[in-house]
Amino acid sequence: MDMTVGLGLLAGGLTTASFVPQVMKIWKTKSAEDVSLTMFVAFCVGVGLWLAYGVIKKDWAILVANGVTLILGLAILVMKIKYK
Amino acid sequence: MDMTVGLGLLAGGLTTASFVPQVMKIWKTKSAEDVSLTMFVAFCVGVGLWLAYGVIKKDWAILVANGVTLILGLAILVMKIKYK
């Protein structure tokens, strides 16, 4: 694995992991009033397209990061709809 | 411009633009209680690393998307700290 892939995985790891505290916060407080529904709808569609981009470019950093991010983004979206 | 670059720019455009309604929402309500501070600190550092990744790979889709996303992420972070 070259250094660039390592940097991409670190970048992807951080941006992806950053959604975990947001998932936990909404899960604990059962409140998502300040979270934008429009943001997470557009975000999840966009991350889905990044996944396709990663597939075409065979870029593992983009693939792995966006696969996990999509799961976390959908979790926030579902909780936003549920808890408002 | 080939189709893959177009897909990357569309993906980046959507994930980047998705932060605009979140910026607007906090700006209007002056409230960011449900937004996770930890998320946006980790997210901004990660997006900064994606920028470096884009520079090394000379990947314009990653560069442009993450440049704008960093500005929006920092705006949310500053408002989160200001409005709590």
Side-chain angles (χ1 to χ4, degrees), chain B residues 5-79:
Chain B
V5 175
L7 177 65
L9 288 174
L10 183 64
L14 256 173
T15 48
T16 297
S18 72
F19 287 87
V20 174
Q22 183 66 73
V23 169
M24 300 298 288
K25 191 178 179 80
I26 302 175
W27 180 261
K28 275 187 202 154
T29 61
K30 312 284 181 218
S31 169
E33 201 180 340
D34 300 327
V35 172
S36 166
L37 177 66
T38 317
M39 170 180 166
F40 280 94
V41 170
F43 185 77
C44 288
V45 175
V47 170
L49 293 178
W50 271 125
L51 259 184
Y53 182 77
V55 170
I56 293 168
K57 289 204 118 181
K58 296 186 183 65
D59 187 319
W60 285 97
I62 293 177
L63 259 177
V64 174
N66 286 284
V68 181
T69 303
L70 186 57
I71 294 166
L72 294 168
L74 286 173
I76 293 171
L77 186 58
V78 167
M79 288 194 292

Side-chain angles (χ1 to χ4, degrees), chain A residues 22 25 31 33-34 36 53, chain B residues 22 25 33-34 36 59:
Chain A
Q22 184 66 72
K25 189 177 181 79
S31 169
E33 202 181 337
D34 300 328
S36 164
Y53 182 78
Chain B
Q22 183 66 73
K25 191 178 179 80
E33 201 180 340
D34 300 327
S36 166
D59 187 319

Side-chain angles (χ1 to χ4, degrees), chain A residues 30-45:
Chain A
K30 313 285 181 218
S31 169
E33 202 181 337
D34 300 328
V35 172
S36 164
L37 177 66
T38 316
M39 168 180 167
F40 280 95
V41 170
F43 185 77
C44 287
V45 175

Side-chain angles (χ1 to χ4, degrees), chain A residues 8-17 19 42-75, chain B residues 7-8 10-16 18-19 43 47 50 53 59 61-62 65-66 69:
Chain A
L9 287 174
L10 183 64
L14 256 173
T15 47
T16 297
F19 287 86
F43 185 77
C44 287
V45 175
V47 170
L49 293 178
W50 272 125
L51 258 182
Y53 182 78
V55 169
I56 292 167
K57 288 205 116 179
K58 296 186 182 68
D59 186 319
W60 284 97
I62 293 177
L63 259 176
V64 174
N66 286 284
V68 181
T69 303
L70 186 57
I71 294 167
L72 293 168
L74 286 172
Chain B
L7 177 65
L10 183 64
L14 256 173
T15 48
T16 297
S18 72
F19 287 87
F43 185 77
V47 170
W50 271 125
Y53 182 77
D59 187 319
I62 293 177
N66 286 284
T69 303

